[in-house]
């Protein structure tokens, strides 16, 4: 697999970043729901939120890198069989996914820095508390963070269902491209041979 994208498929870097972000978002969502139920006497009471915050900061860096790569490098051309409505819906979904990702991470940052302390990232570096001590900052940001996270995971689920629909029902190469497969080598992505020229 090539590192960069081609006209027909996504490259190794785009594919890796896509699935890394997807798995991390689901993992952070599950961890967040679990850790808020912990009590002071649970072994993970302090370590689970610390991991959640640190991975959230690292996710921000990865998403920024992915967005930079997405805007800088070439992108595969739209699948020819997709309608105009499908293409617009996909573009809108991608914009919303990125907007929700950054909104979730920003609200998480506001929760973590409400008391003025920086966010420690696995003891390697710290993110300073640039915004803190706002009235009700932790509570308000916490509610916003939860609702945004639910919206993000729900939209990501619809995104996944759409990809499966394209793969199973439409039998087009949409999902194969994000798995790093070359659609040109797949029966469902193979172009029909050109008709012979009239002699």
């Amino acid at each position: 697999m090539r590192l960069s994208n081609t006209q027909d498929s996504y490259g190794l870097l785009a594919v890796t970043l896509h699935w890394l972000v997807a798995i991390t978002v689901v993992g952070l969502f599950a961890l967040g729901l679990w850790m808020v139920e912990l009590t002071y006497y649970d072994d993970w009471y302090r370590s689970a939120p610390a991991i959640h915050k640190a991975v959230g900061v690292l996710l921000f860096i990865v998403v920024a890198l992915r967005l930079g790569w997405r805007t800088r490098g070439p992108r595969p051309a739209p699948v020819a069989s997709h309608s105009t409505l499908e293409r617009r819906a996909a573009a809108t979904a991608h914009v919303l996914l990125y907007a929700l990702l950054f909104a979730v991470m920003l609200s998480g940052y506001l929760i973590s820095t409400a008391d003025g302390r920086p966010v420690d990232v696995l003891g390697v570096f710290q993110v300073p508390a640039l915004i803190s001590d706002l009235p009700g900052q932790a509570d308000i940001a916490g509610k916003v963070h939860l609702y945004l996270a639910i919206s993000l995971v729900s939209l990501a689920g619809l995104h996944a269902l759409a990809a499966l629909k394209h793969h199973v029902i439409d039998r087009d190469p949409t999902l194969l491209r994000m798995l790093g497969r070359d659609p040109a080598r797949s029966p469902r992505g193979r172009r029909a041979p050109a008709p012979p020229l009239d002699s």
Side-chain angles (χ1 to χ4, degrees):
M1 185 192 305
R2 293 167 54 106
L3 180 65
S4 58
N5 301 337
T6 68
Q7 187 72 10
D8 295 315
S9 62
Y10 290 96
L12 178 61
L13 185 58
V15 171
T16 301
L17 291 177
H18 174 273
W19 292 109
L20 180 61
V21 170
I23 293 169
T24 303
V25 166
V26 173
L28 284 176
F29 184 71
L31 177 60
L33 292 179
W34 174 70
M35 73 184 192
V36 296
E37 301 297 328
L38 297 176
T39 66
Y40 180 80
Y41 299 101
D42 285 305
D43 295 337
W44 287 85
Y45 180 75
R46 294 187 183 280
S47 55
I51 293 171
H52 188 85
K53 296 173 187 178
V55 174
V57 171
L58 296 176
L59 177 64
F60 177 86
I61 296 172
V62 171
V63 172
L65 288 173
R66 184 184 175 208
L67 186 59
W69 180 258
R70 178 183 173 90
T71 56
R72 178 179 176 275
R75 288 193 297 173
V79 177
S81 61
H82 290 181
S83 67
T84 301
L85 179 60
E86 286 177 316
R87 295 181 188 185
R88 289 178 178 172
T92 301
H94 279 105
V95 171
L96 286 175
L97 283 169
Y98 275 108
L100 284 170
L101 270 168
F102 283 112
V104 168
M105 292 183 286
L106 175 60
S107 60
Y109 171 78
L110 293 175
I111 300 169
S112 304
T113 59
D115 59 0
R117 288 183 294 180
V119 181
D120 181 74
V121 183
L122 306 175
V124 178
F125 65 94
Q126 292 183 331
V127 179
L130 301 177
I131 304 174
S132 61
D133 297 324
L134 297 177
Q137 178 173 331
D139 291 336
I140 295 173
K143 291 179 181 178
V144 171
H145 188 67
L146 174 61
Y147 295 141
L148 288 175
I150 292 172
S151 300
L152 173 60
V153 171
S154 299
L155 182 57
L158 290 175
H159 179 67
L161 288 175
L164 288 174
K165 177 257 186 187
H166 281 293
H167 188 74
V168 176
I169 298 176
D170 299 338
R171 299 188 64 78
D172 65 39
T174 300
L175 181 59
L176 292 178
R177 299 204 301 183
M178 192 40 76
L179 291 173
R181 301 265 304 274
D182 184 357
R185 298 182 180 182
S186 169
R188 69 182 65 198
R190 201 168 288 150
R191 297 182 179 87
L197 295 174
D198 292 331
S199 56

